[in-house]
Amino acid sequence: MDKRLAHQRVSVKEYWIVDPANQIVEVHLLKGRYLELSNVYSKEDSLPVNTLDGFSIDLSLIFKNPCTS
């Protein structure tokens, strides 16, 4: 079973898919009985944590550019 579907089945309220290669985060929120894509955030964004009122994550601190030689 797909992880998203497994989380949906137990009514997880917020589900993230983090793509480090493309430096994005897909946020899925529970709407009724289904997890639906709410938004896609990139490294320039501040990602609000919907289950923690007033809390957000600065993605520029998470997706730092790799060091170059």
Side-chain angles (χ1 to χ4, degrees):
M1 178 181 285
D2 174 290
K3 278 187 181 183
R4 185 185 57 78
L5 292 177
H7 284 80
Q8 177 177 284
R9 192 168 157 205
V10 295
S11 299
V12 168
K13 294 179 182 178
E14 185 169 7
Y15 181 72
W16 297 359
I17 300 174
V18 179
D19 180 349
N22 293 306
Q23 298 187 333
I24 61 170
V25 179
E26 290 182 12
V27 176
H28 298 256
L29 298 176
L30 191 64
K31 304 285 184 182
R33 294 181 14 205
Y34 301 99
L35 281 167
E36 296 180 4
L37 180 63
S38 172
N39 210 336
V40 178
Y41 297 89
S42 66
K43 69 179 183 176
E44 294 85 21
D45 296 323
S46 179
L47 189 156
V49 180
N50 293 282
T51 56
L52 298 172
D53 199 30
F55 185 75
S56 63
I57 299 172
D58 181 354
L59 292 179
S60 69
L61 300 173
I62 305 298
F63 296 127
K64 293 187 178 220
N65 290 329
C67 297
T68 56
S69 335

XYZ file of all heavy atoms in Angstrom:
558
model
N 0.843 -1.188 0.000
C 0.000 0.000 0.000
C 0.889 1.253 0.000
O 1.897 1.310 0.672
C -0.908 -0.008 1.233
C -1.781 1.232 1.333
S -2.853 1.314 2.788
C -4.078 0.142 2.328
N 0.501 2.229 -0.761
C 1.146 3.534 -0.831
C 1.142 4.186 0.556
O 0.143 4.112 1.277
C 0.330 4.346 -1.847
C 0.740 5.784 -1.974
O 0.491 6.544 -1.017
O 1.262 6.157 -3.026
N 2.258 4.794 0.934
C 2.341 5.439 2.259
C 1.273 6.508 2.460
O 0.676 6.605 3.522
C 3.721 6.088 2.457
C 4.777 5.139 2.886
C 6.042 5.932 3.223
C 7.145 5.015 3.642
N 8.334 5.751 4.045
N 1.046 7.310 1.442
C 0.038 8.363 1.565
C -1.333 7.756 1.850
O -2.069 8.223 2.716
C -0.009 9.222 0.300
C -0.967 10.413 0.412
C -1.079 11.184 -0.895
N -1.490 10.382 -2.010
C -2.748 9.991 -2.259
N -3.705 10.344 -1.442
N -3.028 9.268 -3.314
N -1.667 6.680 1.155
C -2.955 6.024 1.373
C -3.036 5.405 2.764
O -4.087 5.444 3.407
C -3.207 4.966 0.295
C -3.427 5.495 -1.115
C -3.580 4.347 -2.103
C -4.611 6.430 -1.170
N -1.929 4.845 3.243
C -1.903 4.283 4.589
C -2.128 5.379 5.630
O -2.874 5.196 6.595
C -0.576 3.576 4.836
N -1.501 6.528 5.440
C -1.686 7.652 6.360
C -3.115 8.199 6.272
O -3.710 8.570 7.273
C -0.666 8.755 6.075
C 0.704 8.424 6.575
N 1.551 7.601 5.883
C 1.356 8.798 7.705
C 2.686 7.477 6.562
N 2.587 8.183 7.672
N -3.647 8.240 5.073
C -5.021 8.707 4.869
C -5.998 7.780 5.588
O -6.948 8.238 6.227
C -5.303 8.722 3.373
C -6.704 9.102 2.984
C -6.828 9.155 1.479
O -6.374 10.103 0.869
N -7.403 8.118 0.880
N -5.730 6.504 5.527
C -6.611 5.504 6.138
C -6.740 5.680 7.645
O -7.794 5.407 8.212
C -6.055 4.122 5.803
C -6.954 3.012 6.087
C -6.391 1.777 5.427
N -6.917 0.608 6.094
C -6.335 -0.543 6.126
N -5.165 -0.712 5.530
N -6.882 -1.556 6.726
N -5.669 6.156 8.291
C -5.708 6.364 9.748
C -5.921 7.839 10.098
O -5.680 8.254 11.218
C -4.460 5.784 10.447
C -4.412 4.282 10.302
C -3.179 6.437 9.942
N -6.340 8.626 9.127
C -6.720 10.039 9.308
C -5.593 10.952 9.786
O -5.796 11.824 10.625
C -7.922 10.142 10.262
O -9.026 9.455 9.735
N -4.386 10.749 9.231
C -3.290 11.686 9.484
C -3.709 13.032 8.912
O -4.166 13.109 7.771
C -1.978 11.178 8.844
C -0.916 12.248 8.831
C -1.488 9.941 9.566
N -3.563 14.096 9.682
C -4.074 15.411 9.273
C -3.186 16.137 8.272
O -3.654 16.952 7.490
C -4.289 16.284 10.506
C -5.379 15.751 11.394
C -5.560 16.605 12.609
C -6.642 15.985 13.484
N -6.870 16.702 14.698
N -1.885 15.850 8.323
C -0.938 16.559 7.451
C 0.149 15.587 7.032
O 0.724 14.882 7.862
C -0.336 17.733 8.229
C 0.553 18.632 7.438
C 0.905 19.919 8.182
O 0.565 20.045 9.378
O 1.502 20.787 7.563
N 0.444 15.541 5.734
C 1.409 14.601 5.183
C 2.312 15.355 4.214
O 1.818 16.053 3.332
C 0.656 13.482 4.462
C 1.521 12.418 3.847
C 2.186 11.487 4.635
C 1.654 12.326 2.464
C 2.968 10.495 4.073
C 2.434 11.338 1.886
C 3.083 10.426 2.692
O 3.855 9.443 2.120
N 3.616 15.225 4.430
C 4.580 15.923 3.574
C 5.350 14.919 2.743
O 5.743 13.860 3.223
C 5.593 16.693 4.399
C 5.067 17.791 5.243
C 3.770 18.229 5.366
C 5.828 18.598 6.126
N 3.692 19.263 6.251
C 4.943 19.508 6.748
C 7.162 18.644 6.470
C 5.366 20.450 7.674
C 7.585 19.587 7.388
C 6.694 20.477 7.973
N 5.630 15.301 1.514
C 6.561 14.560 0.664
C 7.713 15.513 0.376
O 7.534 16.548 -0.270
C 5.898 14.085 -0.642
C 4.721 13.158 -0.318
C 6.929 13.388 -1.531
C 3.913 12.752 -1.525
N 8.879 15.175 0.893
C 10.074 16.017 0.755
C 10.906 15.473 -0.400
O 11.250 14.296 -0.427
C 10.900 16.029 2.059
C 12.146 16.894 1.901
C 10.046 16.515 3.224
N 11.210 16.344 -1.356
C 12.013 15.987 -2.521
C 13.317 16.788 -2.462
O 13.374 17.923 -2.939
C 11.220 16.304 -3.791
C 11.974 15.967 -5.065
O 13.190 15.669 -5.017
O 11.344 16.014 -6.139
N 14.355 16.210 -1.847
C 15.611 16.962 -1.697
C 16.306 17.251 -3.031
O 16.969 18.278 -3.163
C 16.471 16.070 -0.813
C 15.830 14.740 -0.795
C 14.412 14.904 -1.222
N 16.137 16.394 -4.014
C 16.790 16.615 -5.311
C 16.262 17.880 -5.984
O 17.031 18.645 -6.576
C 16.582 15.409 -6.222
N 14.952 18.116 -5.890
C 14.347 19.302 -6.498
C 14.090 20.415 -5.490
O 13.558 21.465 -5.854
C 13.033 18.921 -7.193
C 13.284 18.043 -8.388
O 14.056 18.387 -9.276
N 12.656 16.889 -8.414
N 14.448 20.161 -4.243
C 14.325 21.129 -3.147
C 12.901 21.679 -3.022
O 12.677 22.881 -2.978
C 15.355 22.241 -3.292
C 16.771 21.704 -3.220
C 17.817 22.785 -3.190
O 17.630 23.891 -3.686
N 18.943 22.482 -2.576
N 11.947 20.734 -2.963
C 10.549 21.100 -2.761
C 9.918 20.204 -1.701
O 10.419 19.114 -1.410
C 9.720 21.010 -4.064
C 9.712 19.587 -4.608
C 10.176 22.019 -5.088
C 8.725 19.365 -5.740
N 8.816 20.687 -1.137
C 8.008 19.904 -0.202
C 6.558 20.005 -0.655
O 6.034 21.105 -0.818
C 8.129 20.430 1.249
C 7.254 19.618 2.195
C 9.583 20.421 1.726
N 5.939 18.857 -0.890
C 4.507 18.804 -1.189
C 3.776 18.613 0.130
O 4.126 17.718 0.902
C 4.168 17.611 -2.081
C 4.645 17.693 -3.478
C 4.199 16.474 -4.294
O 3.334 15.695 -3.835
O 4.731 16.311 -5.396
N 2.778 19.418 0.393
C 1.989 19.300 1.611
C 0.588 18.833 1.245
O -0.086 19.459 0.429
C 1.929 20.636 2.382
C 1.017 20.523 3.591
C 3.329 21.060 2.815
N 0.195 17.720 1.852
C -1.137 17.160 1.666
C -1.879 17.305 2.987
O -1.333 16.995 4.050
C -1.052 15.681 1.280
C -0.335 15.446 -0.008
N -0.986 15.152 -1.176
C 0.990 15.483 -0.319
C -0.103 14.995 -2.154
N 1.108 15.198 -1.649
N -3.117 17.793 2.929
C -3.935 17.983 4.128
C -5.182 17.114 4.031
O -5.738 16.928 2.949
C -4.337 19.448 4.286
C -3.203 20.449 4.459
C -3.745 21.867 4.513
C -2.388 20.139 5.698
N -5.610 16.623 5.187
C -6.805 15.794 5.247
C -8.047 16.658 5.060
O -8.289 17.611 5.798
C -6.862 15.073 6.599
C -7.906 13.974 6.726
C -7.602 12.820 5.765
C -7.956 13.466 8.156
N -8.799 16.353 4.028
C -10.065 17.037 3.726
C -11.137 15.960 3.754
O -11.203 15.123 2.843
C -10.036 17.705 2.355
C -8.911 18.686 2.163
C -9.169 19.967 2.903
C -8.031 20.940 2.581
N -8.129 22.168 3.255
N -11.929 15.948 4.811
C -12.903 14.870 4.969
C -12.158 13.577 5.257
O -11.441 13.466 6.240
N -12.238 12.634 4.330
C -11.548 11.346 4.497
C -10.322 11.207 3.606
O -9.686 10.153 3.591
C -12.520 10.209 4.191
C -13.644 10.121 5.200
C -14.615 8.993 4.931
N -14.169 7.998 3.988
C -14.980 7.234 3.265
N -16.263 7.373 3.379
N -14.499 6.346 2.443
N -9.972 12.259 2.851
C -8.913 12.143 1.854
C -7.803 13.166 2.060
O -8.068 14.329 2.352
C -9.499 12.306 0.445
C -10.560 11.281 0.154
C -11.906 11.605 0.266
C -10.220 9.983 -0.205
C -12.890 10.661 0.028
C -11.192 9.031 -0.450
C -12.522 9.371 -0.328
O -13.493 8.429 -0.558
N -6.560 12.706 1.869
C -5.424 13.626 1.863
C -5.347 14.262 0.483
O -5.228 13.564 -0.525
C -4.119 12.883 2.165
C -3.865 12.566 3.626
C -2.719 11.565 3.755
C -3.563 13.825 4.423
N -5.437 15.585 0.439
C -5.398 16.312 -0.828
C -4.190 17.234 -0.852
O -3.820 17.815 0.171
C -6.672 17.131 -1.003
C -7.917 16.296 -1.104
C -9.173 17.123 -1.274
O -9.078 18.369 -1.389
O -10.254 16.525 -1.276
N -3.604 17.386 -2.037
C -2.488 18.303 -2.210
C -2.953 19.713 -1.878
O -3.911 20.219 -2.461
C -1.945 18.246 -3.637
C -0.767 19.158 -3.939
C 0.446 18.787 -3.098
C -0.420 19.094 -5.415
N -2.286 20.325 -0.918
C -2.636 21.679 -0.494
C -1.730 22.702 -1.161
O -2.195 23.728 -1.647
C -2.521 21.793 1.020
O -2.667 23.117 1.445
N -0.420 22.411 -1.172
C 0.534 23.369 -1.726
C 1.871 22.677 -1.948
O 2.153 21.634 -1.360
C 0.717 24.552 -0.778
C 1.057 25.831 -1.518
O 1.571 25.813 -2.628
N 0.767 26.959 -0.893
N 2.699 23.297 -2.773
C 4.075 22.847 -2.995
C 4.974 24.023 -2.642
O 4.770 25.137 -3.134
C 4.306 22.403 -4.458
C 5.754 21.990 -4.672
C 3.350 21.266 -4.831
N 5.951 23.780 -1.775
C 6.848 24.828 -1.300
C 8.261 24.558 -1.798
O 8.692 23.404 -1.879
C 6.842 24.877 0.225
C 5.500 25.221 0.807
C 4.570 24.233 1.102
C 5.142 26.538 1.038
C 3.325 24.544 1.616
C 3.899 26.866 1.551
C 3.002 25.865 1.844
O 1.760 26.183 2.354
N 8.985 25.635 -2.118
C 10.373 25.511 -2.566
C 11.305 26.086 -1.511
O 10.861 26.591 -0.478
C 10.570 26.239 -3.892
O 10.403 27.631 -3.712
N 12.596 26.025 -1.793
C 13.590 26.441 -0.798
C 13.511 27.925 -0.439
O 14.037 28.326 0.583
C 14.997 26.079 -1.251
C 15.502 26.864 -2.441
C 16.907 26.444 -2.781
C 17.452 27.266 -3.924
N 18.839 26.939 -4.199
N 12.823 28.721 -1.231
C 12.677 30.152 -0.916
C 11.506 30.419 0.034
O 11.325 31.534 0.501
C 12.455 30.972 -2.198
C 13.632 31.001 -3.143
C 13.666 29.801 -4.079
O 12.624 29.154 -4.285
O 14.745 29.490 -4.593
N 10.720 29.385 0.329
C 9.484 29.562 1.082
C 9.632 29.259 2.576
O 10.546 28.560 2.996
C 8.389 28.641 0.520
C 8.006 28.992 -0.904
O 7.969 30.194 -1.225
O 7.753 28.069 -1.688
N 8.673 29.777 3.305
C 8.482 29.411 4.705
C 7.274 28.485 4.723
O 6.200 28.845 4.254
C 8.231 30.665 5.542
O 8.030 30.316 6.882
N 7.463 27.280 5.226
C 6.429 26.260 5.192
C 5.643 26.272 6.498
O 6.203 25.984 7.558
C 7.082 24.888 4.977
C 6.197 23.700 4.708
C 6.985 22.642 3.967
C 5.614 23.115 5.956
N 4.363 26.629 6.459
C 3.570 26.613 7.687
C 3.245 25.176 8.092
O 2.917 24.345 7.247
C 2.299 27.365 7.301
C 2.186 27.185 5.838
C 3.590 27.077 5.309
N 3.367 24.892 9.381
C 2.997 23.579 9.903
C 1.549 23.695 10.365
O 1.269 24.320 11.386
C 3.930 23.152 11.058
C 3.532 21.794 11.593
C 5.385 23.151 10.591
N 0.655 23.143 9.591
C -0.773 23.325 9.834
C -1.251 22.730 11.145
O -2.225 23.191 11.715
C -1.576 22.767 8.660
C -1.346 23.583 7.408
O -1.909 24.653 7.260
N -0.493 23.104 6.531
N -0.573 21.707 11.631
C -0.987 21.072 12.886
C -0.395 21.763 14.107
O -0.740 21.412 15.233
C -0.608 19.582 12.897
O 0.796 19.452 12.664
C -1.384 18.809 11.839
N 0.493 22.727 13.909
C 1.087 23.500 15.011
C 0.839 24.978 14.732
O 1.586 25.619 13.985
C 2.590 23.229 15.142
C 2.990 21.791 15.465
C 4.501 21.634 15.381
C 2.492 21.401 16.850
N -0.193 25.512 15.325
C -0.631 26.882 15.080
C 0.502 27.891 15.270
O 1.159 27.909 16.314
C -1.800 27.218 16.010
C -2.593 28.402 15.530
O -2.644 28.618 14.303
O -3.150 29.121 16.387
N 0.767 28.702 14.247
C 1.772 29.758 14.315
C 3.199 29.295 14.079
O 4.129 30.092 14.133
N 3.424 28.009 13.786
C 4.767 27.484 13.579
C 5.026 27.300 12.093
O 4.168 26.814 11.359
C 4.925 26.143 14.307
C 6.314 25.577 14.254
C 7.320 26.109 15.037
C 6.611 24.521 13.427
C 8.602 25.594 14.998
C 7.888 23.988 13.374
C 8.885 24.524 14.162
N 6.215 27.701 11.648
C 6.598 27.489 10.248
C 8.088 27.155 10.179
O 8.834 27.381 11.126
C 6.289 28.724 9.405
O 7.051 29.810 9.845
N 8.493 26.610 9.052
C 9.882 26.199 8.831
C 10.428 26.962 7.636
O 9.839 26.945 6.555
C 9.963 24.685 8.577
C 9.445 23.922 9.795
C 11.392 24.270 8.243
C 9.296 22.434 9.569
N 11.567 27.625 7.836
C 12.248 28.337 6.754
C 13.005 27.304 5.927
O 14.025 26.769 6.374
C 13.204 29.370 7.358
C 13.952 30.177 6.320
O 13.844 29.876 5.111
O 14.670 31.110 6.723
N 12.504 26.999 4.745
C 13.099 25.938 3.931
C 14.484 26.277 3.405
O 15.228 25.374 3.035
C 12.155 25.563 2.783
C 10.867 24.864 3.222
C 9.994 24.559 2.010
C 11.154 23.611 4.005
N 14.868 27.548 3.411
C 16.227 27.904 2.982
C 17.257 27.343 3.968
O 18.410 27.122 3.610
C 16.389 29.414 2.843
O 16.353 30.049 4.099
N 16.829 27.079 5.193
C 17.721 26.475 6.194
C 17.805 24.965 6.030
O 18.756 24.332 6.485
C 17.247 26.816 7.612
C 17.202 28.294 7.947
C 16.559 28.521 9.311
C 18.603 28.892 7.908
N 16.806 24.384 5.396
C 16.775 22.936 5.168
C 17.458 22.574 3.864
O 18.275 21.661 3.806
C 15.306 22.424 5.141
C 14.553 22.829 6.405
C 15.239 20.929 4.883
C 15.120 22.270 7.691
N 17.131 23.302 2.800
C 17.681 23.031 1.483
C 18.836 23.987 1.198
O 18.711 24.908 0.410
C 16.606 23.196 0.400
C 15.477 22.223 0.497
C 14.164 22.671 0.532
C 15.710 20.864 0.529
C 13.112 21.765 0.594
C 14.665 19.950 0.590
C 13.365 20.410 0.625
N 19.938 23.747 1.842
C 21.117 24.577 1.574
C 21.810 24.069 0.318
O 21.754 22.899 0.002
C 22.083 24.510 2.753
C 21.515 25.163 3.979
C 22.543 25.246 5.075
C 21.930 25.957 6.237
N 22.815 26.857 6.883
N 22.442 24.994 -0.399
C 23.201 24.585 -1.580
C 24.407 23.777 -1.151
O 25.085 24.136 -0.197
C 23.647 25.809 -2.381
C 22.494 26.500 -3.059
O 21.514 25.854 -3.433
N 22.579 27.796 -3.206
N 24.686 22.670 -1.859
C 25.853 21.872 -1.525
C 27.140 22.665 -1.755
O 27.190 23.531 -2.631
C 25.763 20.658 -2.453
C 24.843 21.073 -3.538
C 23.962 22.165 -3.004
N 28.143 22.367 -0.974
C 29.450 23.036 -1.137
C 30.049 22.623 -2.472
O 29.955 21.479 -2.882
C 30.403 22.633 -0.004
S 29.826 23.158 1.601
N 30.656 23.578 -3.123
C 31.333 23.268 -4.391
C 32.828 23.411 -4.168
O 33.306 24.212 -3.383
C 30.876 24.245 -5.490
O 31.107 25.589 -5.060
C 29.411 24.032 -5.819
N 33.586 22.563 -4.882
C 35.042 22.619 -4.727
C 35.677 23.495 -5.781
O 35.230 23.635 -6.834
C 35.662 21.248 -4.848
O 34.853 20.203 -4.539
